[in-house]
Structures are given as C-alpha cells and as structure tokens.
C-alpha cells in the first residue's frame, strides 16, 4: 500500500496515460504524447531569436536529417532512433548542459530509463550500437552548432570555443525552422509515420 504522503512520481498525459517517471513502462508511452510534449519544449531555455520558440521537436527533425547525411546507408530503424534521441524530454524538459552537469547522475538515470521504455514501445533495440550512437551524437552536435550561431546568439568565434565545429558538408542545406508548436508536432508525427512505414516494408 502506497504511503498517502509519498511524493508523486508520475505525470498524466493528454492521451490519458499515466507515466511513472521513476519506473516507466512502454505501455504508457504514446507517440502523440511525445510529439505534443516536444513541440512545446523550447531549446536553449527559450533564449532564441524569432517569433516562435525553437522546439525539441524541430531539433529532433534536424538531428535525424543530419544523421541520415552522416550515414546515408542507415536504415529506418536507426533513423527512427535519431528522431527519438531526445524523446525523454517530452516529460523531463530540455535542460541546458550546465544544469545537467550540476544535477549529476540522477537526471541521467531518469533520462536513460524513459529512453529505454520509448525504444521498447516502438520496437527498437535498447542498446543502440556504439557506432550508431556516435553518429547520432555527431548529428546532435551539428544541430547544436547551427542553432548556436543562427538563433541562440553566439558569435562563431565564441561558439568555436564551446561547441564542436562540424565539417561544412554536414551543414550545407540544413535549415533551422521556427514554426508554431502545432506545425512542429504535425511534422514530427509525419516523419515518425514515414519511418515506421519504411521499417515495416523491409
């Protein structure tokens, strides 16, 4: 029997699911909740130029594009892993690196558990191969660099001292998009559906 005064560790989702943040299960995860949450979570704590926040949903779409450019032979399974790389932030929010460092291992452990539950929910391996993880991380760094110098107020000189500078060919043609949350949510769900269909057709 749960103690009446025990702190609540779950969040109610718009789908009606109740996700336990400390012990998440795949059955309580829905892509609509992920897309909705990520579309309303602002990167850079909202400190970006433009009339709309730059959402984690937009960032995730850009990372998946960059990942596919880095590894053109990657199948839809790994493209899907790239798209979902920040999925836990739909309930944890997007914490900037200095805050994550200050919080230590507890945040990372919660992020890991939710990420694993997301992977199980959508039929992805929990243990992503090291090579794929490195490529997704590189794609994340490409996105962070572009965001920093285009919308987050960093000069190139300042950014070079903080962020990894990607090869120019990895950045050419990639676009930072700022649009209303409803549009970002739709784009995220649309790309998810495309990758699921592509995976099922193999």
């Amino acid at each position: 029997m749960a103690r009446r005064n025990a702190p609540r560790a779950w969040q109610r989702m718009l789908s009606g699911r109740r996700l336990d943040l400390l012990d998440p299960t795949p059955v309580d995860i829905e892509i609509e909740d992920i897309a909705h949450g990520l579309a309303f979570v602002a990167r850079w704590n909202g400190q970006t130029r433009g009339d709309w926040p730059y959402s984690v949903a937009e960032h995730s779409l850009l990372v998946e594009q960059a990942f596919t450019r880095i590894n053109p032979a990657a199948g839809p399974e790994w493209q899907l892993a790239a798209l979902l790389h920040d999925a836990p932030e739909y309930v944890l929010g997007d914490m900037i690196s200095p805050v994550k460092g200050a919080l230590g291992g507890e945040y990372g452990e919660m992020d890991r558990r939710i990420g694993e539950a997301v992977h199980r929910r959508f039929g992805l391996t929990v243990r992503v191969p090291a090579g794929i993880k490195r490529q997704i991380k590189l794609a994340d760094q490409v996105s962070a660099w572009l965001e920093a110098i285009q919308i987050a107020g960093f000069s190139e000189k300042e950014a070079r001292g903080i962020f990894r500078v990607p090869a120019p060919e990895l950045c050419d043609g990639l676009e930072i998009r700022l649009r209303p949350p409803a549009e970002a949510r739709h784009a995220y769900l649309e790309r998810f559906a495309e990758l699921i269909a592509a995976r099922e057709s193999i």
Side-chain angles (χ1 to χ4, degrees):
M1 181 176 177
R3 292 187 297 111
R4 290 184 63 183
N5 294 327
R8 179 168 63 89
W10 55 266
Q11 179 171 340
R12 174 73 65 189
M13 302 297 164
L14 289 180
S15 65
R17 298 292 188 182
R18 195 169 84 166
L19 182 69
D20 187 327
L21 304 182
L22 301 180
D23 187 23
T25 61
V27 296
D28 290 321
I29 291 170
E30 300 291 348
I31 191 58
E32 291 80 8
D33 292 330
I34 292 174
H36 183 84
L38 295 184
F40 281 88
V41 173
R43 292 268 293 169
W44 305 92
N45 281 346
Q47 297 300 306
T48 51
R49 299 187 181 102
D51 294 330
W52 300 102
Y54 183 69
S55 71
V56 177
E58 296 284 13
H59 164 78
S60 298
L61 289 162
L62 185 61
V63 167
E64 191 264 317
Q65 287 182 311
F67 168 77
T68 301
R69 179 173 292 187
I70 292 164
N71 185 354
E77 178 177 13
W78 304 130
Q79 291 172 292
L80 189 59
L83 182 69
L84 293 168
H85 80 285
D86 275 342
E89 294 181 7
Y90 86 109
V91 286
L92 297 181
D94 178 48
M95 294 193 184
I96 60 175
S97 297
V99 176
K100 288 180 182 178
L103 290 176
E106 291 185 7
Y107 176 89
E109 179 63 19
M110 192 178 296
D111 181 271
R112 180 190 64 79
R113 289 178 183 174
I114 296 172
E116 289 182 358
V118 168
H119 273 224
R120 289 191 179 98
R121 171 65 177 86
F122 302 117
L124 295 171
T125 179
V126 170
R127 303 296 180 214
V128 176
I132 297 295
K133 286 184 73 173
R134 284 193 296 270
Q135 291 170 341
I136 293 174
K137 181 64 176 177
L138 177 56
D140 200 24
Q141 291 168 343
V142 169
S143 180
W145 169 259
L146 292 174
E147 293 165 21
I149 63 174
Q150 291 185 19
I151 60 171
F154 288 81
S155 68
E156 281 207 29
K157 181 180 179 181
E158 182 184 19
R160 285 179 181 276
I162 301 172
F163 305 99
R164 177 173 177 169
V165 183
E169 62 269 20
L170 297 181
C171 299
D172 290 343
L174 293 180
E175 180 185 0
I176 299 287
R177 300 198 64 179
L178 298 169
R179 48 187 165 176
E183 292 182 21
R185 178 181 61 206
H186 176 77
Y188 189 94
L189 287 171
E190 188 173 55
R191 184 57 180 156
F192 175 86
E194 290 171 354
L195 293 173
I196 289 293
R199 189 178 63 170
E200 292 176 350
S201 68
I202 295 175

